Amino acid sequence: MAALFAQADFPWWIAGGLAIELAVGRELRPHGDLDVLVLRRDQTRVRDLLATWDLYVADPPGRGELRPWPREEVLQPPLHDIWCRRAPKAPWSVQLMLDEVEGAQWVSRRDPDIRLPIDLLGRMSERGIPYLAPEVQLFYKAKAPQEKDETDFEAVLPLLTPLARTWLADSIKTTAPNHPWLRQLLSRQANVNSGTA
């Protein structure tokens, strides 16, 4: 996928658990598919890039109902989740996600007050593969964390910069003020501020 997306003339990032693994530099667990994040404004270009693929959109999102994504359709919010496979009988292998943007700012689908400059949205792996910044990926995972998300959180938390921890804590507080990750984020931030971390 990295080789295919290397041809893209738009920004893209590996997302999901693999983004966390690219951040920590090691494998944490098996993965069933690959998540790729692109900006909604670039959906026509990503559709062209995957022209030979079989693409379905989750409509409505989160309900498990898939329908074909016609080549000419421009997806509007809240549609953002596209399932991809190389051929109609092949297994699903890529989950493509569309995210919002205003000017030079990424805007969260969950709360438009949660933003980040697009140039801070991702990082680059040692192999030159762009991946979603771990604090942004953890923000997504915080919605309904499963065991795998807890594993990802524990693995990447020590690597987050003070700025990234603050952004993540503030973002989680906005959407889930009693989230269990907040205690660890704020505790680690206090240790950094006191010089004990």
Side-chain angles (χ1 to χ4, degrees), residues 10 31 44 47 64 83 88 91 104 108 116 123 132 143 159 168 171 178 195:
F10 54 87
H31 299 273
T44 302
R47 184 71 181 87
W83 291 49
S108 168
L116 198 64
R123 309 279 188 277
L132 195 59
K143 181 177 181 182
L159 305 178
L168 179 57
S171 299
N178 297 315

Side-chain angles (χ1 to χ4, degrees), residues 2-9 12 49:
L4 175 61
F5 273 84
Q7 305 169 43
D9 60 351
W12 61 276
L49 183 69

